[in-house]
Protein backbone atom coordinates (compact mmCIF):
# COMPACT_ATOMS: atom_id res chain seq x y z
CA UNK A 1 0.00 0.00 0.00
CA UNK A 2 1.39 3.37 -0.96
CA UNK A 3 1.74 5.99 1.71
CA UNK A 4 1.86 9.77 1.22
CA UNK A 5 4.22 12.15 2.96
CA UNK A 6 2.48 14.75 5.19
CA UNK A 7 1.66 17.87 3.19
CA UNK A 8 3.36 20.93 4.72
CA UNK A 9 0.72 23.30 3.37
CA UNK A 10 -2.00 21.18 5.03
CA UNK A 11 -0.17 21.51 8.37
CA UNK A 12 -0.07 25.28 8.01
CA UNK A 13 -3.76 25.36 7.16
CA UNK A 14 -4.71 23.32 10.20
CA UNK A 15 -2.67 25.59 12.49
CA UNK A 16 -4.38 28.59 10.95
CA UNK A 17 -7.84 27.08 11.20
CA UNK A 18 -7.32 26.13 14.79
CA UNK A 19 -6.08 29.65 15.58
CA UNK A 20 -9.59 30.32 16.80
CA UNK A 21 -8.76 28.31 19.91
CA UNK A 22 -5.62 30.36 20.62
CA UNK A 23 -6.53 32.88 23.19
CA UNK A 24 -3.39 34.95 22.80
CA UNK A 25 -0.99 35.80 20.01
CA UNK A 26 1.77 34.45 22.26
CA UNK A 27 0.38 30.90 22.15
CA UNK A 28 -0.18 31.18 18.40
CA UNK A 29 3.35 32.50 17.82
CA UNK A 30 4.87 29.76 19.97
CA UNK A 31 3.36 26.90 17.96
CA UNK A 32 6.51 25.36 16.43
CA UNK A 33 4.97 24.67 13.01
CA UNK A 34 3.79 28.21 12.36
CA UNK A 35 5.52 29.75 9.35
CA UNK A 36 2.80 32.12 8.12
CA UNK A 37 0.08 34.14 9.83
CA UNK A 38 -3.66 33.32 9.78
CA UNK A 39 -5.47 35.48 7.24
CA UNK A 40 -7.45 37.19 10.03
CA UNK A 41 -4.17 38.94 10.99
CA UNK A 42 -3.40 40.30 7.53
CA UNK A 43 -3.32 44.07 7.81
CA UNK A 44 -3.30 45.95 4.53
CA UNK A 45 -1.36 49.15 4.20
CA UNK A 46 -0.88 50.89 0.91
CA UNK A 47 2.90 50.74 0.26
CA UNK A 48 2.55 53.66 -2.20
CA UNK A 49 1.25 55.93 0.58
CA UNK A 50 3.70 54.64 3.13
CA UNK A 51 6.88 56.50 3.73
CA UNK A 52 8.78 55.06 6.68
CA UNK A 53 12.03 56.78 7.61
CA UNK A 54 14.33 57.60 10.46
CA UNK A 55 14.14 61.23 11.62
CA UNK A 56 15.93 63.86 9.50
CA UNK A 57 19.07 65.46 10.91
CA UNK A 58 17.58 68.92 10.31
CA UNK A 59 14.26 68.04 11.99
CA UNK A 60 15.28 65.80 14.90
CA UNK A 61 12.89 64.22 17.40
CA UNK A 62 12.59 66.68 20.31
CA UNK A 63 14.42 65.72 23.50
CA UNK A 64 13.43 67.39 26.78
CA UNK A 65 15.69 67.43 29.83
CA UNK A 66 13.24 67.15 32.73
CA UNK A 67 15.79 68.17 35.37
CA UNK A 68 16.02 71.67 33.88
CA UNK A 69 12.46 72.35 35.09
CA UNK A 70 13.78 72.10 38.66
CA UNK A 71 17.51 72.64 38.86
CA UNK A 72 18.08 74.83 35.79
CA UNK A 73 18.57 78.59 35.82
CA UNK A 74 15.36 80.65 35.28
CA UNK A 75 16.41 81.06 31.64
CA UNK A 76 16.97 77.32 31.21
CA UNK A 77 13.59 76.60 32.80
CA UNK A 78 11.82 79.11 30.55
CA UNK A 79 13.53 77.64 27.48
CA UNK A 80 12.59 74.10 28.53
CA UNK A 81 8.94 75.13 28.82
CA UNK A 82 9.08 76.74 25.39
CA UNK A 83 10.70 73.57 23.98
CA UNK A 84 7.96 71.41 25.53
CA UNK A 85 5.32 73.66 23.92
CA UNK A 86 7.02 73.48 20.53
CA UNK A 87 7.33 69.68 20.74
CA UNK A 88 3.63 69.31 21.65
CA UNK A 89 2.61 71.61 18.80
CA UNK A 90 4.90 70.36 16.04
CA UNK A 91 5.42 66.68 16.88
CA UNK A 92 2.77 65.73 19.46
CA UNK A 93 5.46 63.89 21.42
CA UNK A 94 8.98 64.13 22.82
CA UNK A 95 11.67 62.00 24.44
CA UNK A 96 12.16 62.75 28.13
CA UNK A 97 15.59 62.36 29.73
CA UNK A 98 16.96 63.06 33.22
CA UNK A 99 13.59 62.38 34.81
CA UNK A 100 13.00 61.25 38.37
CA UNK A 101 12.07 57.59 37.80
CA UNK A 102 15.03 55.28 38.57
CA UNK A 103 16.32 53.26 35.62
CA UNK A 104 16.34 50.13 37.79
CA UNK A 105 12.60 50.57 38.50
CA UNK A 106 11.79 50.97 34.80
CA UNK A 107 13.73 47.78 34.01
CA UNK A 108 12.14 45.90 36.89
CA UNK A 109 8.67 46.80 35.67
CA UNK A 110 9.43 45.58 32.15
CA UNK A 111 10.77 42.31 33.66
CA UNK A 112 7.63 41.90 35.75
CA UNK A 113 5.41 42.52 32.71
CA UNK A 114 7.37 39.87 30.82
CA UNK A 115 6.90 37.49 33.76
CA UNK A 116 3.15 38.18 33.72
CA UNK A 117 2.86 37.29 30.04
CA UNK A 118 4.91 34.15 30.75
CA UNK A 119 2.33 32.87 33.25
CA UNK A 120 0.25 29.90 32.15
CA UNK A 121 -2.58 30.95 29.84
CA UNK A 122 -5.19 29.75 32.40
CA UNK A 123 -3.71 32.06 35.04
CA UNK A 124 -3.92 35.08 32.73
CA UNK A 125 -7.41 34.17 31.54
CA UNK A 126 -8.68 35.04 35.01
CA UNK A 127 -8.52 38.66 33.81
CA UNK A 128 -9.86 38.05 30.30
CA UNK A 129 -13.28 38.50 28.78
CA UNK A 130 -14.04 41.83 30.35
CA UNK A 131 -15.62 44.37 28.03
CA UNK A 132 -16.11 47.34 30.27
CA UNK A 133 -13.62 50.23 30.11
CA UNK A 134 -14.03 50.73 33.85
CA UNK A 135 -13.09 47.13 34.74
CA UNK A 136 -9.92 47.34 36.84
CA UNK A 137 -7.87 44.64 35.09
CA UNK A 138 -8.31 43.54 31.49
CA UNK A 139 -6.17 40.91 29.81
CA UNK A 140 -6.76 40.44 26.12
CA UNK A 141 -5.47 40.28 22.60
CA UNK A 142 -5.74 42.53 19.51
CA UNK A 143 -7.67 45.72 20.51
CA UNK A 144 -11.33 44.76 20.75
CA UNK A 145 -11.61 41.36 19.00
CA UNK A 146 -15.41 41.64 18.68
CA UNK A 147 -14.99 44.90 16.70
CA UNK A 148 -11.63 44.53 14.96
CA UNK A 149 -12.00 43.76 11.25
CA UNK A 150 -8.39 42.58 11.27
CA UNK A 151 -6.72 41.18 14.37
CA UNK A 152 -3.58 42.81 15.70
CA UNK A 153 -0.43 40.89 16.60
CA UNK A 154 -0.55 41.96 20.23
CA UNK A 155 -1.49 40.73 23.69
CA UNK A 156 -2.13 43.23 26.44
CA UNK A 157 -2.97 43.77 30.05
CA UNK A 158 -4.62 47.02 31.12
CA UNK A 159 -4.71 47.92 34.78
CA UNK A 160 -6.41 50.87 36.45
CA UNK A 161 -3.94 52.06 39.10
CA UNK A 162 -5.56 55.32 40.20
CA UNK A 163 -7.74 56.63 41.90
CA UNK A 164 -7.83 53.07 43.24
CA UNK A 165 -4.80 50.83 42.83
CA UNK A 166 -5.34 47.40 41.29
CA UNK A 167 -2.87 44.72 40.33
CA UNK A 168 -2.84 41.05 39.37
CA UNK A 169 -1.58 38.92 42.27
CA UNK A 170 0.86 37.04 40.06
CA UNK A 171 3.74 36.93 39.34
CA UNK A 172 5.23 37.48 42.79
CA UNK A 173 6.52 41.02 43.18
CA UNK A 174 4.40 42.42 40.34
CA UNK A 175 2.09 44.33 42.69
CA UNK A 176 4.88 46.10 44.63
CA UNK A 177 6.89 47.01 41.55
CA UNK A 178 3.80 48.25 39.77
CA UNK A 179 2.69 50.34 42.78
CA UNK A 180 6.09 52.01 43.07
CA UNK A 181 6.36 52.63 39.33
CA UNK A 182 2.86 54.09 39.16
CA UNK A 183 3.46 56.42 42.09
CA UNK A 184 6.60 57.80 40.45
CA UNK A 185 5.14 58.12 36.94
CA UNK A 186 2.03 59.77 38.32
CA UNK A 187 4.16 62.45 39.94
CA UNK A 188 6.17 62.78 36.74
CA UNK A 189 3.04 63.15 34.58
CA UNK A 190 1.54 65.79 36.86
CA UNK A 191 4.76 67.81 36.92
CA UNK A 192 5.02 67.66 33.14
CA UNK A 193 1.42 68.84 32.85
CA UNK A 194 2.34 71.88 34.94
CA UNK A 195 5.06 72.75 32.43
CA UNK A 196 2.60 72.10 29.59
CA UNK A 197 -0.02 74.37 31.22
CA UNK A 198 2.57 77.13 31.44
CA UNK A 199 3.61 76.57 27.84
CA UNK A 200 -0.03 77.24 26.88
CA UNK A 201 0.05 80.52 28.82
CA UNK A 202 -2.14 79.07 31.59
CA UNK A 203 -1.56 78.96 35.35
CA UNK A 204 0.86 76.10 36.16
CA UNK A 205 -1.79 74.07 37.96
CA UNK A 206 -4.56 74.76 35.43
CA UNK A 207 -4.69 71.27 33.88
CA UNK A 208 -4.15 69.52 37.22
CA UNK A 209 -7.04 71.42 38.77
CA UNK A 210 -9.56 71.45 35.92
CA UNK A 211 -8.93 67.80 35.02
CA UNK A 212 -9.38 66.85 38.66
CA UNK A 213 -6.07 64.96 38.77
CA UNK A 214 -6.29 64.33 42.51
CA UNK A 215 -8.89 61.76 41.43
CA UNK A 216 -7.47 61.36 37.93
CA UNK A 217 -7.53 58.10 36.04
CA UNK A 218 -4.13 56.47 35.68
CA UNK A 219 -3.86 53.31 33.68
CA UNK A 220 -1.05 50.97 32.76
CA UNK A 221 -1.32 49.29 29.37
CA UNK A 222 1.39 46.69 28.92
CA UNK A 223 1.78 45.28 25.41
CA UNK A 224 3.48 42.10 24.29
CA UNK A 225 4.39 41.73 20.62
CA UNK A 226 5.58 38.18 20.02
CA UNK A 227 7.89 37.45 17.08
CA UNK A 228 5.81 37.21 13.92
CA UNK A 229 6.67 34.93 10.97
CA UNK A 230 5.40 37.53 8.45
CA UNK A 231 5.96 40.92 10.09
CA UNK A 232 5.39 42.82 6.84
CA UNK A 233 1.79 41.52 6.76
CA UNK A 234 0.80 42.00 10.40
CA UNK A 235 0.37 45.04 12.64
CA UNK A 236 0.95 45.20 16.41
CA UNK A 237 -1.21 48.26 16.94
CA UNK A 238 -2.80 50.15 14.06
CA UNK A 239 -2.48 53.93 13.66
CA UNK A 240 -4.29 55.59 16.55
CA UNK A 241 -4.11 58.35 19.12
CA UNK A 242 -4.59 57.73 22.85
CA UNK A 243 -7.29 58.94 25.23
CA UNK A 244 -6.11 60.87 28.27
CA UNK A 245 -3.71 63.79 28.62
CA UNK A 246 -0.28 62.15 28.34
CA UNK A 247 1.01 58.67 27.64
CA UNK A 248 4.42 57.93 29.21
CA UNK A 249 5.77 55.00 27.23
CA UNK A 250 8.74 52.74 27.96
CA UNK A 251 10.04 49.85 25.88
CA UNK A 252 12.29 46.82 26.37
CA UNK A 253 15.03 47.91 23.97
CA UNK A 254 13.31 46.46 20.89
CA UNK A 255 12.13 49.04 18.33
CA UNK A 256 8.64 49.05 16.82
CA UNK A 257 7.04 52.39 17.67
CA UNK A 258 6.39 54.70 14.72
CA UNK A 259 4.82 58.17 14.84
CA UNK A 260 3.18 60.07 12.02
CA UNK A 261 4.97 63.36 11.37
CA UNK A 262 4.38 65.49 8.26
CA UNK A 263 2.74 62.50 6.53
CA UNK A 264 5.72 60.24 7.15
CA UNK A 265 6.03 57.35 9.57
CA UNK A 266 9.08 58.02 11.72
CA UNK A 267 10.86 55.21 13.57
CA UNK A 268 11.24 56.03 17.25
CA UNK A 269 14.19 54.28 18.84
CA UNK A 270 13.91 52.41 22.10
CA UNK A 271 16.39 54.34 24.23
CA UNK A 272 17.24 53.05 27.72
CA UNK A 273 16.18 55.19 30.68
CA UNK A 274 14.07 57.43 28.50
CA UNK A 275 10.30 58.03 28.33
CA UNK A 276 8.50 58.61 25.08
CA UNK A 277 5.89 61.20 26.10
CA UNK A 278 2.88 61.19 23.76
CA UNK A 279 0.34 64.03 23.66
CA UNK A 280 -3.08 62.40 23.97
CA UNK A 281 -6.58 63.37 22.84
CA UNK A 282 -7.70 65.17 25.99
CA UNK A 283 -4.68 67.45 25.95
CA UNK A 284 -5.54 68.31 22.35
CA UNK A 285 -9.08 69.16 23.48
CA UNK A 286 -7.96 71.27 26.48
CA UNK A 287 -5.52 73.19 24.25
CA UNK A 288 -8.35 73.71 21.74
CA UNK A 289 -6.31 71.96 19.06
CA UNK A 290 -3.04 73.89 19.56
CA UNK A 291 -1.30 70.72 20.73
CA UNK A 292 -1.98 67.69 18.58
CA UNK A 293 -2.43 64.19 19.90
CA UNK A 294 0.06 62.14 17.95
CA UNK A 295 -0.99 59.33 15.63
CA UNK A 296 1.28 56.35 16.29
CA UNK A 297 1.41 52.61 15.64
CA UNK A 298 3.44 49.57 16.64
CA UNK A 299 4.98 47.38 13.95
CA UNK A 300 6.21 43.86 14.68
CA UNK A 301 9.34 41.90 13.86
CA UNK A 302 10.26 38.27 13.25
CA UNK A 303 13.32 38.44 15.49
CA UNK A 304 12.56 39.52 19.01
CA UNK A 305 9.74 39.81 21.50
CA UNK A 306 8.87 43.42 22.10
CA UNK A 307 7.33 44.85 25.26
CA UNK A 308 6.02 48.35 25.71
CA UNK A 309 4.38 49.76 28.82
CA UNK A 310 2.16 52.81 28.41
CA UNK A 311 1.18 54.85 31.45
CA UNK A 312 -1.90 56.91 30.68
CA UNK A 313 -2.31 60.03 32.81
CA UNK A 314 -5.88 61.13 32.36
CA UNK A 315 -8.68 63.27 33.79
CA UNK A 316 -10.96 61.72 36.38
CA UNK A 317 -13.63 59.54 34.77
CA UNK A 318 -16.37 62.06 35.51
CA UNK A 319 -14.54 65.17 34.35
CA UNK A 320 -16.15 66.87 31.39
CA UNK A 321 -13.17 67.74 29.23
CA UNK A 322 -13.49 70.85 27.10
CA UNK A 323 -11.18 73.52 25.66
CA UNK A 324 -9.71 75.88 28.28
CA UNK A 325 -11.92 78.96 28.26
CA UNK A 326 -8.75 81.12 28.42
CA UNK A 327 -7.70 79.77 25.03
CA UNK A 328 -11.00 80.50 23.33
CA UNK A 329 -12.04 83.62 21.56
CA UNK A 330 -15.53 83.38 20.12
CA UNK A 331 -14.57 85.61 17.19
CA UNK A 332 -11.10 84.42 16.24
CA UNK A 333 -10.63 81.06 17.93
CA UNK A 334 -13.95 79.45 18.86
CA UNK A 335 -14.11 76.18 20.81
CA UNK A 336 -13.36 73.40 18.34
CA UNK A 337 -14.47 70.47 20.53
CA UNK A 338 -17.58 69.76 22.51
CA UNK A 339 -17.25 69.09 26.25
CA UNK A 340 -17.53 65.38 26.95
CA UNK A 341 -17.19 63.19 30.01
CA UNK A 342 -13.91 61.28 29.99
CA UNK A 343 -15.65 57.98 30.67
CA UNK A 344 -18.03 58.50 27.70
CA UNK A 345 -15.05 59.26 25.47
CA UNK A 346 -13.33 56.02 26.50
CA UNK A 347 -16.50 54.08 25.77
CA UNK A 348 -16.83 55.76 22.38
CA UNK A 349 -13.24 54.78 21.58
CA UNK A 350 -13.77 51.18 22.69
CA UNK A 351 -16.88 50.75 20.56
CA UNK A 352 -15.35 52.31 17.44
CA UNK A 353 -12.76 50.87 15.12
CA UNK A 354 -9.31 51.89 16.28
CA UNK A 355 -8.08 53.92 13.36
CA UNK A 356 -6.20 57.21 13.32
CA UNK A 357 -8.04 60.01 15.09
CA UNK A 358 -11.52 58.92 14.03
CA UNK A 359 -13.02 59.29 17.52
CA UNK A 360 -11.48 62.69 18.20
CA UNK A 361 -12.54 63.87 14.75
CA UNK A 362 -16.15 62.88 15.46
CA UNK A 363 -16.04 64.88 18.68
CA UNK A 364 -14.52 67.79 16.77
CA UNK A 365 -17.00 67.77 13.91
CA UNK A 366 -20.06 67.30 16.07
CA UNK A 367 -18.73 69.90 18.49
CA UNK A 368 -19.07 72.57 15.81
CA UNK A 369 -22.39 71.30 14.47
CA UNK A 370 -25.34 73.52 15.42
CA UNK A 371 -27.84 71.78 13.22
CA UNK A 372 -27.88 68.06 12.46
CA UNK A 373 -30.05 66.99 9.53
CA UNK A 374 -30.17 63.25 9.13
CA UNK A 375 -32.30 60.31 8.07
CA UNK A 376 -33.75 58.32 10.97
CA UNK A 377 -30.96 55.87 11.98
CA UNK A 378 -28.27 54.98 14.53
CA UNK A 379 -25.90 57.74 13.32
CA UNK A 380 -28.26 60.18 15.05
CA UNK A 381 -26.95 59.02 18.44
CA UNK A 382 -23.91 61.21 17.69
CA UNK A 383 -26.12 64.17 18.58
CA UNK A 384 -24.95 63.79 22.17
CA UNK A 385 -21.56 65.13 21.01
CA UNK A 386 -23.07 68.44 19.88
CA UNK A 387 -23.09 71.55 21.99
CA UNK A 388 -26.18 71.59 24.22
CA UNK A 389 -29.17 73.45 22.81
CA UNK A 390 -28.36 72.58 19.19
CA UNK A 391 -31.00 71.35 16.75
CA UNK A 392 -31.86 68.04 15.16
CA UNK A 393 -34.03 67.63 12.06
CA UNK A 394 -35.04 64.10 11.18
CA UNK A 395 -36.13 62.61 7.87
CA UNK A 396 -38.00 59.33 7.44
CA UNK A 397 -38.22 57.12 4.38
CA UNK A 398 -41.63 56.44 2.89
CA UNK A 399 -43.90 54.29 5.01
CA UNK A 400 -41.94 54.58 8.25
CA UNK A 401 -44.67 56.35 10.18
CA UNK A 402 -46.73 53.19 10.04
CA UNK A 403 -43.89 50.72 10.31
CA UNK A 404 -41.55 52.13 12.93
CA UNK A 405 -44.20 52.15 15.67
CA UNK A 406 -42.93 53.65 18.89
CA UNK A 407 -39.34 53.42 17.51
CA UNK A 408 -40.03 56.53 15.45
CA UNK A 409 -39.75 58.58 18.68
CA UNK A 410 -36.36 57.23 19.79
CA UNK A 411 -34.32 60.21 18.59
CA UNK A 412 -36.82 62.68 20.01
CA UNK A 413 -36.22 61.07 23.40
CA UNK A 414 -32.45 61.07 22.95
CA UNK A 415 -32.62 64.74 21.93
CA UNK A 416 -34.55 65.60 25.03
CA UNK A 417 -32.19 63.59 27.32
CA UNK A 418 -29.08 65.15 25.79
CA UNK A 419 -30.35 68.73 25.86
CA UNK A 420 -30.97 69.16 22.11
CA UNK A 421 -33.97 70.61 20.34
CA UNK A 422 -35.71 68.06 18.16
CA UNK A 423 -37.22 70.22 15.43
CA UNK A 424 -39.64 67.65 14.05
CA UNK A 425 -39.56 65.06 11.30
CA UNK A 426 -40.34 64.99 7.64
CA UNK A 427 -41.73 61.85 6.04
CA UNK A 428 -41.13 61.03 2.43
CA UNK A 429 -44.50 60.48 0.71
CA UNK A 430 -42.79 58.99 -2.37
CA UNK A 431 -40.63 55.94 -2.76
CA UNK A 432 -40.53 52.43 -4.10
CA UNK A 433 -43.77 50.56 -4.58
CA UNK A 434 -44.46 47.82 -2.05
CA UNK A 435 -46.80 45.04 -3.26
CA UNK A 436 -48.07 44.48 0.30
CA UNK A 437 -50.27 46.79 2.37
CA UNK A 438 -48.22 49.78 3.62
CA UNK A 439 -48.25 48.68 7.24
CA UNK A 440 -46.93 45.19 6.36
CA UNK A 441 -43.41 44.75 7.83
CA UNK A 442 -42.24 43.16 4.58
CA UNK A 443 -42.37 46.71 3.16
CA UNK A 444 -39.61 47.77 5.57
CA UNK A 445 -36.63 46.56 3.49
CA UNK A 446 -38.25 47.89 0.32
CA UNK A 447 -38.79 51.35 1.73
CA UNK A 448 -35.45 51.24 3.52
CA UNK A 449 -33.45 51.26 0.32
CA UNK A 450 -31.33 54.19 1.39
CA UNK A 451 -33.13 56.84 -0.64
CA UNK A 452 -34.94 59.69 1.01
CA UNK A 453 -36.39 62.43 -1.10
CA UNK A 454 -37.15 65.95 0.04
CA UNK A 455 -39.73 68.63 -0.50
CA UNK A 456 -37.74 71.69 -1.53
CA UNK A 457 -40.29 74.29 -0.50
CA UNK A 458 -41.06 72.63 2.84
CA UNK A 459 -37.35 72.07 3.56
CA UNK A 460 -36.42 75.71 2.78
CA UNK A 461 -39.10 77.07 5.13
CA UNK A 462 -38.35 74.54 7.85
CA UNK A 463 -34.55 75.00 7.86
CA UNK A 464 -34.86 78.82 7.66
CA UNK A 465 -37.00 78.80 10.78
CA UNK A 466 -34.69 76.35 12.60
CA UNK A 467 -31.58 78.39 11.68
CA UNK A 468 -33.17 81.61 12.94
CA UNK A 469 -34.11 79.90 16.23
CA UNK A 470 -30.59 78.47 16.67
CA UNK A 471 -29.02 81.88 16.09
CA UNK A 472 -31.22 83.50 18.73
CA UNK A 473 -30.60 80.72 21.24
CA UNK A 474 -26.82 80.61 20.73
CA UNK A 475 -26.42 84.39 20.97
CA UNK A 476 -28.36 84.30 24.23
CA UNK A 477 -26.23 81.35 25.46
CA UNK A 478 -22.94 83.12 24.61
CA UNK A 479 -23.99 86.25 26.48
CA UNK A 480 -24.62 84.26 29.67
CA UNK A 481 -21.30 82.32 29.80
CA UNK A 482 -19.41 83.06 32.99
CA UNK A 483 -15.74 83.69 32.25
CA UNK A 484 -14.52 84.26 35.83
CA UNK A 485 -11.29 82.35 36.57
CA UNK A 486 -10.80 80.44 39.81
CA UNK A 487 -7.57 81.23 41.70
CA UNK A 488 -4.47 79.03 41.26
CA UNK A 489 -1.50 77.79 43.29
CA UNK A 490 1.52 76.58 41.33
CA UNK A 491 4.54 74.80 42.79
CA UNK A 492 6.93 72.10 41.59
CA UNK A 493 8.62 69.06 43.05
CA UNK A 494 10.35 66.02 41.66
CA UNK A 495 9.64 63.36 44.24
O1 LIG B 1 3.86 49.53 21.65
C1 LIG B 1 3.97 50.70 21.37
O2 LIG B 1 5.04 51.24 21.11
C2 LIG B 1 2.73 51.56 21.30
C3 LIG B 1 1.71 51.20 22.33
C4 LIG B 1 0.53 52.09 22.27
O3 LIG B 1 0.37 52.86 21.38
C5 LIG B 1 -0.48 52.06 23.35
O4 LIG B 1 -0.42 51.20 24.24
O5 LIG B 1 -1.38 52.91 23.30
FE1 LIG C 1 -1.15 54.33 21.86
Amino acid sequence: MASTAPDASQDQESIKNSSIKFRSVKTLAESPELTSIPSSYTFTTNPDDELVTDPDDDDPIPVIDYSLLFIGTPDQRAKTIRDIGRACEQWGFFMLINHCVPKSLMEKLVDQVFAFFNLKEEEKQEYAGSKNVTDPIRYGTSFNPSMDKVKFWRDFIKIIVHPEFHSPDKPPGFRDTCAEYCRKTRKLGRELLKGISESLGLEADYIDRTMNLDHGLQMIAANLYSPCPQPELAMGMPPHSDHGLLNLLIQNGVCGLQVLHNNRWINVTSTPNCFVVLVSDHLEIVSNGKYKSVVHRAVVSNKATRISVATVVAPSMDTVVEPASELIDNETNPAAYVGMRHKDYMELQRTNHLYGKSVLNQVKLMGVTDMLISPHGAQLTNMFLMERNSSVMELYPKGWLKLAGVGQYVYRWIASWSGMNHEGSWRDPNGDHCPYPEDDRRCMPLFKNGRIGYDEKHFADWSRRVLADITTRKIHQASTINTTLPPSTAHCACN
Side-chain angles (χ1 to χ4, degrees):
M1 201 170 76
S3 66
T4 45
D7 179 348
S9 68
Q10 254 174 20
D11 280 358
Q12 281 301 306
E13 231 14 72
S14 65
I15 292 168
K16 288 182 199 175
N17 292 338
S18 65
S19 72
I20 194 92
K21 70 171 189 271
F22 290 107
R23 285 174 295 178
S24 65
V25 169
K26 184 171 185 290
T27 45
L28 175 62
E30 283 173 355
S31 40
E33 307 86 355
L34 190 81
T35 54
S36 61
I37 60 171
S39 55
S40 54
Y41 285 90
T42 310
F43 184 91
T44 8
T45 46
N46 183 350
D48 297 339
D49 297 342
E50 289 267 304
L51 207 54
V52 180
T53 59
D54 291 328
D56 290 340
D57 288 345
D58 55 0
D59 186 19
I61 288 178
V63 178
I64 301 294
D65 182 339
Y66 179 77
S67 67
L68 293 179
L69 289 175
F70 303 97
I71 55 169
T73 61
D75 279 356
Q76 281 175 320
R77 183 172 188 280
K79 179 177 180 308
T80 305
I81 287 178
R82 278 197 307 277
D83 288 348
I84 291 178
R86 201 172 307 116
C88 292
E89 201 170 340
Q90 294 175 359
W91 281 83
F93 92 105
F94 52 87
M95 312 290 269
L96 189 73
I97 57 167
N98 293 332
H99 49 78
C100 51
V101 184
K103 182 166 177 258
S104 55
L105 182 60
M106 295 164 85
E107 288 168 353
K108 205 161 149 195
L109 183 82
V110 170
D111 289 348
Q112 287 289 359
V113 163
F114 195 47
F116 172 84
F117 284 116
N118 276 337
L119 293 174
K120 289 201 195 80
E121 202 53 45
E122 304 82 83
E123 293 175 289
K124 291 179 281 182
Q125 287 294 326
E126 188 185 325
Y127 305 108
S130 133
K131 290 201 164 51
N132 204 328
V133 287
T134 54
D135 287 341
I137 308 182
R138 287 184 287 149
Y139 167 68
T141 188
S142 195
F143 174 68
N144 179 358
S146 63
M147 289 286 300
D148 302 334
K149 288 188 190 135
V150 173
K151 289 203 208 131
F152 307 118
W153 199 262
R154 163 212 192 211
D155 300 322
F156 67 83
I157 178 158
K158 294 187 181 179
I159 312 169
I160 294 184
V161 293
H162 195 271
E164 235 180 277
F165 179 76
H166 302 272
S167 167
D169 291 324
K170 291 182 202 161
F174 187 100
R175 175 180 286 273
D176 289 348
T177 307
C178 187
E180 178 66 358
Y181 180 81
C182 292
R183 199 179 64 74
K184 291 257 195 278
T185 46
R186 184 168 163 63
K187 193 85 197 156
L188 177 67
R190 288 179 84 167
E191 289 303 334
L192 276 175
L193 285 166
K194 287 182 185 162
I196 289 175
S197 287
E198 285 188 61
S199 74
L200 284 166
L202 301 167
E203 300 278 355
D205 73 341
Y206 182 92
I207 293 178
D208 203 282
R209 185 167 35 82
T210 55
M211 297 296 108
N212 206 1
L213 291 191
D214 278 344
H215 305 279
L217 175 76
Q218 187 185 359
M219 218 168 91
I220 293 277
N223 304 301
L224 179 88
Y225 307 98
S226 299
C228 175
Q230 292 175 296
E232 66 293 350
L233 295 184
M235 184 56 80
M237 270 196 103
H240 70 282
S241 59
D242 298 319
H243 76 95
L245 296 159
L246 293 177
N247 177 353
L248 312 175
L249 191 90
I250 59 172
Q251 307 165 68
N252 69 335
V254 177
C255 295
L257 175 66
Q258 296 180 338
V259 298
L260 195 60
H261 177 64
N262 295 339
N263 295 324
R264 286 189 309 165
W265 285 108
I266 308 282
N267 291 314
V268 180
T269 50
S270 177
T271 313
N273 201 17
C274 176
F275 281 92
V276 181
V277 179
L278 304 161
V279 171
S280 305
D281 292 349
H282 289 99
L283 183 53
E284 175 168 330
I285 296 174
V286 172
S287 74
N288 201 27
K290 184 166 192 221
Y291 295 170
K292 304 279 184 293
S293 65
V294 63
V295 175
H296 54 288
R297 67 183 185 183
V299 296
V300 291
S301 95
N302 54 3
K303 295 193 179 66
T305 295
R306 175 163 184 265
I307 285 181
S308 69
V309 186
T311 301
V312 176
V313 179
S316 79
M317 288 271 203
D318 286 325
T319 300
V320 174
V321 184
E322 56 196 352
S325 52
E326 291 76 353
L327 302 177
I328 292 172
D329 178 322
N330 281 337
E331 307 264 290
T332 57
N333 189 24
Y337 308 81
V338 66
M340 188 174 180
R341 217 160 56 120
H342 179 212
K343 189 171 157 192
D344 297 335
Y345 190 91
M346 285 172 74
E347 190 53 32
L348 192 65
Q349 197 177 44
R350 193 189 65 82
T351 51
N352 268 262
H353 294 292
L354 190 63
Y355 202 84
K357 293 172 89 162
S358 58
V359 173
L360 189 60
N361 288 341
Q362 281 179 50
V363 175
K364 200 168 175 178
L365 178 67
M366 295 307 285
V368 292
T369 302
D370 289 319
M371 182 170 162
L372 177 65
I373 306 164
S374 164
H376 178 85
Q379 70 285 348
L380 268 166
T381 51
N382 266 353
M383 76 171 84
F384 86 98
L385 299 175
M386 300 195 313
E387 193 184 74
R388 301 292 159 266
N389 223 355
S390 297
S391 287
V392 179
M393 294 159 72
E394 197 174 355
L395 312 171
Y396 286 86
K398 179 190 172 190
W400 269 57
L401 181 58
K402 294 201 175 85
L403 290 167
V406 74
Q408 68 181 289
Y409 298 115
V410 159
Y411 298 108
R412 287 175 187 257
W413 298 331
I414 293 185
S416 134
W417 294 330
S418 58
M420 303 301 154
N421 290 278
H422 193 287
E423 306 281 0
S425 315
W426 178 83
R427 296 178 167 81
D428 191 353
N430 305 310
D432 289 335
H433 173 68
C434 177
Y436 311 109
E438 264 207 357
D439 55 356
D440 189 312
R441 293 199 73 76
R442 281 172 294 180
C443 291
M444 199 91 155
L446 277 171
F447 292 147
K448 203 186 169 187
N449 65 359
R451 285 188 288 132
I452 292 183
Y454 66 99
D455 173 333
E456 207 167 304
K457 163 92 179 63
H458 174 83
F459 191 72
D461 292 344
W462 184 22
S463 51
R464 197 177 302 117
R465 177 187 62 73
V466 172
L467 262 177
D469 287 353
I470 293 174
T471 312
T472 313
R473 281 201 312 270
K474 297 265 162 142
I475 288 174
H476 175 70
Q477 196 170 310
S479 67
T480 55
I481 288 175
N482 181 359
T483 51
T484 316
L485 287 181
S488 128
T489 50
H491 72 277
C492 292
C494 195
N495 259 304

